[in-house]
Amino acid sequence: MSPTDTRPAIAFQGEPGAYSHQACHEAMPDHVALPCATFEDTIEAVRSGRAALAMLPVENTTYGRVADIHRLLPESGLHIVSEAFVRVHINLLGVPGALLEDVRVAQSHTVLLGQCRAFLREHGIRAEIAADTAGSARHVAEAGDPALAALASDLAGEIYGLAPLARHIEDQSTNTTRFLIMAPKPDYARRGEAGMMTTFVFRVRNIPAALYKAMGGFATNGVNMTKLESYMVDGSFTATQFYADIEGHPDDRNVRLALDELDYFCTKLELLGVYPADPRRR
């Protein structure tokens, strides 16, 4: 981040060239991307005022849920103001002048390595686990070895001066990551052309069939729940918190009635964000 750049910052976890960096470029081009070492650092950058927004990955169509994010969101003090879907194209990046047949080892994060098994097996390339994708690209550039390549984004290749030896090699052609854009304050005034999403966490009361009864209000009021996940909290096998996404705005009558019914059966109900639905979720 240049000290002369006056644009507001959006923080992301990873090194320059990470897929979260790509998400910042695509979804918030009027912001300057601020790399952070961890998800906690990314959140703190917004809380401290170093960044106006945070870009956080929550799930991938191939890999599933991003670890720790659901635990961090309720504790962050931040609010979801947008979502973004980023198509994850994976490239085999090598030093300039290298050829595909030169490559013996490909480095990347374990998640990306798992998404390119077919390509690596076909070409006899050994997978080597590294801390992250962009860091792998940087290491390949520094090593200067034509037998070593990285699995990373187009942006990483541009930043570290690497050549694409093979493009879009992911096993699944629909490989997409969903990101949430977080801000210090909520914005409930907007309405999206593709509709609205509401995200919240809750804990149900310790009574028989509490979750079943709590969910009934969404069915009877015609509210579509697109996600419901549970995870343990407070170091206990019995303390369970649920994370949910629903279509609609809390000001909509059917959503308000459903949330009121949910709240009756809960010991905790906390809104994490109300935001326009990304048209690509359709």
Side-chain angles (χ1 to χ4, degrees):
M1 181 176 174
S2 170
T4 60
D5 197 326
T6 59
R7 292 178 296 166
I10 180 168
F12 69 94
Q13 185 276 324
E15 297 194 33
Y19 285 96
S20 292
H21 189 185
Q22 176 185 327
C24 294
H25 269 279
E26 293 184 9
M28 304 298 295
D30 55 342
H31 285 60
V32 58
L34 175 66
C36 299
T38 66
F39 290 131
E40 289 87 348
D41 293 339
T42 305
I43 291 168
E44 184 57 33
V46 179
R47 289 195 298 215
S48 67
R50 292 178 58 224
L53 301 170
M55 179 72 73
L56 296 174
V58 288
E59 56 196 332
N60 175 268
T61 54
T62 303
Y63 180 68
R65 185 171 75 183
V66 176
D68 292 336
I69 287 296
H70 290 62
R71 175 182 61 82
L72 292 173
L73 291 184
E75 302 169 359
S76 70
L78 304 182
H79 304 269
I80 306 167
V81 294
S82 292
E83 65 175 352
F85 290 81
V86 174
R87 180 71 173 82
V88 179
H89 287 303
I90 305 173
N91 307 298
L92 185 73
L93 304 175
V95 295
L99 301 174
L100 175 57
E101 51 265 33
D102 296 329
V103 178
R104 296 291 175 266
V105 177
Q107 285 187 347
S108 196
H109 190 281
T110 182
V111 171
L112 250 66
L113 292 172
Q115 294 174 7
C116 300
R117 287 193 182 98
F119 177 89
L120 297 178
R121 184 169 56 249
E122 177 186 351
H123 294 276
I125 298 173
R126 179 169 60 86
E128 185 173 275
I129 296 174
D132 56 47
T133 60
S136 298
R138 176 176 49 78
H139 178 255
V140 168
E142 293 171 350
D145 182 356
L148 181 64
L151 300 180
S153 66
D154 288 313
L155 182 59
E158 295 172 11
I159 290 174
Y160 299 107
L162 298 177
L165 307 182
R167 296 173 59 83
H168 302 181
I169 62 173
E170 58 274 8
D171 295 338
Q172 300 292 330
S173 61
T174 57
N175 193 15
T176 301
T177 298
R178 179 183 179 224
F179 291 84
L180 297 177
I181 301 174
M182 313 288 293
K185 295 181 179 180
D187 183 356
Y188 297 160
R190 294 172 302 160
R191 290 284 178 162
E193 293 183 2
M196 297 295 292
M197 299 297 299
T198 297
T199 296
F200 53 91
V201 293
F202 65 95
R203 297 187 202 179
V204 294
R205 293 159 52 192
N206 187 23
I207 59 174
L211 181 61
Y212 173 79
K213 295 173 182 176
M215 293 294 96
F218 296 97
T220 56
N221 288 288
V223 177
N224 187 31
M225 180 171 286
T226 61
K227 178 173 290 297
L228 178 64
E229 295 187 350
S230 64
Y231 57 102
M232 290 178 290
V233 293
D234 299 333
S236 170
F237 283 105
T238 57
T240 302
Q241 186 154 284
F242 294 89
Y243 172 101
D245 291 335
I246 60 172
E247 294 180 350
H249 191 293
D251 288 345
D252 299 338
R253 184 175 183 275
N254 63 330
V255 174
R256 184 176 70 253
L257 291 173
L259 290 175
D260 285 346
E261 191 165 337
L262 172 65
D263 189 45
Y264 177 79
F265 293 102
C266 287
T267 59
K268 173 183 178 179
L269 174 59
E270 178 183 353
L271 285 182
L272 298 182
V274 179
Y275 49 97
D278 189 309
R280 285 168 290 189
R281 76 163 34 250
R282 305 294 179 183

